[in-house]
Amino acid sequence: MRRDTGWWLLIAPAFLLLTLVYIAPIAQVLAISVMEPSPGLGNYERLFTSESVQRVIVTTLRICIITTAIALLLGYGLAYVIALATERARRWWLLAVLVPLWISVLVRAFAWVTLLRRQGVINEGLIAAGVITEPLALVWNETGIVIGMVHYMVPYAVLPMLAAMREVDPRLLAAARGMGASRGFAFSRVFLPLSMPGVIAAGVLVFIFSLGFYITPALLGGGRTLMVAEWIKLQILDLLRWGLGAMMATVLVLAILATLVVFSRLVNLRRLFGGGA
Amino acid sequence: MNGGHGPGGGHGPGPFARGIAWATALYLLLPLSIVLPVSLTDQRFLSLPKHDISWQYYHNLFTSPLWLDAMAQSFWIACAATAIAVICGTLCAIGCWRLARRSTEVIRALMLLPLIIPSIVYAIGLYRYFAWAGLLDTFLGVALAHGVTGIPYVIVTVSTALAAFDPRLEQASRGMGASLRQTLAWVILPRIMPGIVSGGIFAFIHSWDELLIVLFIASRNVYTLPRRIWNGINENLDPTMAAVAVLLIGMTLALLLLDMALRRRREG
């Protein structure tokens, strides 16, 4: 329809920019993964033959699963209390979630280094208090990565769970309690099942964000524990193995898209990423 | 049920849930607050102040040409990126909202890709692509990359604002003979302004904090604040970094409070 031409023109600048400056570079990564160093699926073969490729995948999955589990547990407790809080209290609780969410990830990693390193605030404090004599290895290992990543992911876990919990009719809980259910029973048989869609949505979100996470693992892992994103950077900037790095990047994107497709039946993705309507 | 108690009525969360919630909130906030005392240390290394508090590292920060230059660069790049994201994102959200069909739903979903695809994948692709286009290590290149990855934030906030907008207002305006441009400027944009400003704030923070793309596509010319911090953490852990951290946390808090005030006005 002619009348619609103007509206389509409004979409054009964003669409062109996205295509030229976003989609084209990413498509190029996919192309490099099958073209370099020689055309074919040689890079993908490494998934099955190279021990170092397999090790980085296993490490990444292990850290992501641990991070997701802890972030969901902590986030659920927080979201539950926020959902049942009074209007005034809810605003303060939300601030405690949103402030860390928007503070630079670099600043957060820096704060953790300050706290956790051998001469850091926690170790110095514990030694001064006489609790330990040798500093604990809290950072530049997998422990440090998990501490920092959970810290980053908890807000992302809270928000979808909170949205789901706020749709649970509070009268159901009151009814269960009124009919004699204990607090624990009312929670596990009424509230928990009804909030499950939020838990799954949060789990998917945290897991896919964790998979490709770079900054926190790189700073708190100290180069010894490599996750996928840092490994890709190493292959490309330091070892100049473009094909291998691009292959892993492609696998990363495919893993994320597959997770989204599998869970799109259970989770309303449009709501997860803030669909407008 | 009304007034004093929340939706749970007398059946609020138990002590166990409260315990987790408080512990989690402290875990989220306390580590961030540590940078404030550390930034006031009188020691020469990262630590709590021992004898006295000292402002020397703030003095360092505001007299060091390296840090000041990095802040200025980051600021101008974030401004340019925000302009790109806000203009493209707002127009696109309006177009998709008005046309509302399957194809525009797909376009809207495509626009959200930068939220889903990890930056590392985009960064390595861009490194090659910009080398070919001659945009490596340029202001324009970084602003374009930050702008296009900032579009999703604007799309989300503007779409949310549009969902509350009565489409009959637009029809009435067009029906009375207003052109598309007039309808946009006088009818639609004023009603969704809070959403646009929110999106702009988030796009700005996104660019201001962005590190990974810059690590790949910038070298000597473009030296943004996150890159300076990154090198600081990896190299020397100078307490000046704590002062930078305090400054950044303060800025984020100010922008968040601004956004909350805008939201309250929009809802109120």
Side-chain angles (χ1 to χ4, degrees), chain A residues 113-195:
Chain A
V113 170
T114 311
L115 281 170
L116 300 177
R117 71 202 180 104
R118 285 176 72 85
Q119 310 89 338
V121 175
I122 289 181
N123 271 321
E124 299 269 277
L126 288 177
I127 289 172
V131 182
I132 51 172
T133 49
E134 282 293 298
L136 304 170
L138 296 170
V139 75
W140 294 314
N141 53 28
E142 219 168 294
T143 316
I145 297 185
V146 171
I147 293 176
M149 275 181 63
V150 170
H151 186 254
Y152 183 86
M153 295 300 169
V154 164
Y156 288 108
V158 168
L159 295 177
M161 291 199 280
L162 182 60
M165 288 177 188
R166 294 199 61 180
E167 282 177 14
V168 176
D169 189 338
R171 284 172 303 183
L172 290 175
L173 272 187
R177 291 301 297 278
M179 289 190 283
S182 69
R183 180 185 275 135
F185 194 80
F187 170 77
S188 64
R189 300 302 283 273
V190 179
F191 194 86
L192 184 63
L194 287 171
S195 63

Side-chain angles (χ1 to χ4, degrees), chain A residues 20-21 36 86 102 147 151 170, chain B residues 4 7 27-28 122 128-129 252:
Chain A
L20 288 176
V21 186
E36 295 181 20
T86 61
W102 282 103
I147 293 176
H151 186 254
Chain B
Y27 165 63
L28 288 179
Y122 179 51
R128 269 282 182 95
Y129 193 71
T252 311

Side-chain angles (χ1 to χ4, degrees), chain A residues 52-275:
Chain A
S52 89
V53 169
Q54 287 168 353
R55 190 168 53 233
V56 77
I57 291 178
V58 169
T59 307
T60 305
L61 285 177
R62 183 176 62 235
I63 293 177
C64 288
I65 289 169
I66 296 172
T67 300
T68 309
I70 301 177
L72 283 183
L73 187 72
L74 298 182
Y76 194 93
L78 192 50
Y80 180 64
V81 168
I82 298 178
L84 298 186
T86 61
E87 197 62 45
R88 252 177 69 86
R90 181 178 300 142
R91 207 166 282 156
W92 286 105
W93 281 110
L94 268 179
L95 211 58
V97 175
L98 292 177
V99 165
L101 178 69
W102 282 103
I103 284 177
S104 157
V105 55
L106 267 174
V107 167
R108 284 187 269 173
F110 170 74
W112 281 116
V113 170
T114 311
L115 281 170
L116 300 177
R117 71 202 180 104
R118 285 176 72 85
Q119 310 89 338
V121 175
I122 289 181
N123 271 321
E124 299 269 277
L126 288 177
I127 289 172
V131 182
I132 51 172
T133 49
E134 282 293 298
L136 304 170
L138 296 170
V139 75
W140 294 314
N141 53 28
E142 219 168 294
T143 316
I145 297 185
V146 171
I147 293 176
M149 275 181 63
V150 170
H151 186 254
Y152 183 86
M153 295 300 169
V154 164
Y156 288 108
V158 168
L159 295 177
M161 291 199 280
L162 182 60
M165 288 177 188
R166 294 199 61 180
E167 282 177 14
V168 176
D169 189 338
R171 284 172 303 183
L172 290 175
L173 272 187
R177 291 301 297 278
M179 289 190 283
S182 69
R183 180 185 275 135
F185 194 80
F187 170 77
S188 64
R189 300 302 283 273
V190 179
F191 194 86
L192 184 63
L194 287 171
S195 63
M196 228 33 204
V199 176
I200 296 170
V204 171
L205 194 68
V206 170
F207 186 73
I208 63 175
F209 281 2
S210 303
L211 275 181
F213 204 25
Y214 180 85
I215 295 172
T216 302
L219 285 177
L220 299 180
R224 265 172 296 227
T225 311
L226 281 189
M227 284 180 66
V228 159
E230 200 183 0
W231 188 86
I232 294 174
K233 178 246 162 199
L234 198 72
Q235 297 304 316
I236 287 178
L237 286 191
D238 302 338
L239 304 171
L240 303 178
R241 292 189 197 141
W242 271 90
L244 207 54
M247 179 277 287
M248 195 65 112
T250 309
V251 170
L252 179 58
V253 172
L254 291 179
I256 287 171
L257 292 182
T259 311
L260 283 176
V261 169
V262 168
F263 284 95
S264 63
R265 296 179 184 283
L266 295 171
V267 182
N268 188 343
L269 291 179
R270 278 185 57 203
R271 260 193 43 193
L272 194 53
F273 291 102

Side-chain angles (χ1 to χ4, degrees), chain B residues 35-43 47 49 52-55 57-58 242:
Chain B
V35 296
L36 184 62
V38 169
S39 73
L40 296 170
T41 187
D42 54 351
Q43 307 285 307
S47 61
D52 207 355
I53 64 165
S54 146
W55 296 92
Y57 293 105
Y58 288 91

Side-chain angles (χ1 to χ4, degrees), chain A residues 33-34 36-47 49 243-244 247:
Chain A
S33 76
V34 289
E36 295 181 20
S38 57
L41 292 175
N43 291 317
Y44 290 88
E45 212 181 291
R46 301 290 282 275
L47 282 176
T49 56
L244 207 54
M247 179 277 287

Side-chain angles (χ1 to χ4, degrees), chain A residues 1 3-8 10-11 13-15 17-26 28-29 32 36 73-78 80-81 83-87 90-91 93 95-100 102-115 117 119 121 124 140 146-152 154-155 170-171 173-174 177-178 183 208-209 211-215 218-219 228-230 232-233 236-237 242 245-246 249-250 252-253 256-257 260 270 273-277, chain B residues 1 3-8 10-15 17-18 20-22 24-25 27-32 34-35 38 45-48 50 84 88-89 91-92 94-96 98-99 101 103-105 107-108 110-122 124-130 144-145 147-149 151 153 156 159-160 163 170 174 180 183-184 188 202 205-206 209 211-212 215-216 226-227 229-230 233-234 237-238 241-242 244-245 248-249 252-253 256-257 260 264:
Chain A
M1 275 203 308
R3 255 185 73 96
D4 285 343
T5 319
W7 299 106
W8 283 109
L10 294 185
I11 300 179
F15 187 73
L17 195 68
L18 190 83
T19 313
L20 288 176
V21 186
Y22 193 82
I23 293 177
I26 285 179
Q28 199 182 16
V29 172
I32 292 171
E36 295 181 20
L73 187 72
L74 298 182
Y76 194 93
L78 192 50
Y80 180 64
V81 168
L84 298 186
T86 61
E87 197 62 45
R90 181 178 300 142
R91 207 166 282 156
W93 281 110
L95 211 58
V97 175
L98 292 177
V99 165
W102 282 103
I103 284 177
S104 157
V105 55
L106 267 174
V107 167
R108 284 187 269 173
F110 170 74
W112 281 116
V113 170
T114 311
L115 281 170
R117 71 202 180 104
Q119 310 89 338
V121 175
E124 299 269 277
W140 294 314
V146 171
I147 293 176
M149 275 181 63
V150 170
H151 186 254
Y152 183 86
V154 164
R171 284 172 303 183
L173 272 187
R177 291 301 297 278
R183 180 185 275 135
I208 63 175
F209 281 2
L211 275 181
F213 204 25
Y214 180 85
I215 295 172
L219 285 177
V228 159
E230 200 183 0
I232 294 174
K233 178 246 162 199
I236 287 178
L237 286 191
W242 271 90
T250 309
L252 179 58
V253 172
I256 287 171
L257 292 182
L260 283 176
R270 278 185 57 203
F273 291 102
Chain B
M1 273 298 270
H5 286 286
H11 314 285
R18 280 193 178 280
I20 291 191
W22 274 101
T24 310
Y27 165 63
L28 288 179
L29 296 174
L30 274 188
L32 300 170
I34 193 70
V35 296
V38 169
F45 51 92
L46 266 189
S47 61
L48 295 172
K50 275 232 167 66
I84 294 172
C88 294
L91 294 181
C92 177
I94 294 173
C96 290
R98 176 60 179 70
L99 292 165
R101 55 194 66 169
S103 51
T104 59
E105 277 301 305
I107 291 177
R108 248 181 51 102
L110 276 181
M111 293 290 163
L112 300 184
L113 273 183
L115 294 181
I116 304 167
I117 295 184
S119 301
I120 181 76
V121 180
Y122 179 51
I124 63 171
L126 205 57
Y127 181 42
R128 269 282 182 95
Y129 193 71
F130 272 6
L144 277 174
V148 78
T149 45
I151 288 180
Y153 300 98
V156 167
S159 298
T160 310
E170 180 266 322
R174 296 301 293 274
L180 196 152
T183 308
L184 266 183
I188 300 180
F202 293 137
I205 297 180
H206 159 73
D209 286 341
L211 169 69
L212 199 46
L215 276 185
F216 275 79
R227 243 186 106 195
I229 300 177
W230 170 260
I233 298 180
N234 280 318
L237 284 176
D238 170 11
M241 312 261 307
V244 178
L248 287 180
I249 291 175
T252 311
L253 276 179
L256 258 181
L257 291 176
M260 276 178 70
R264 202 162 304 160

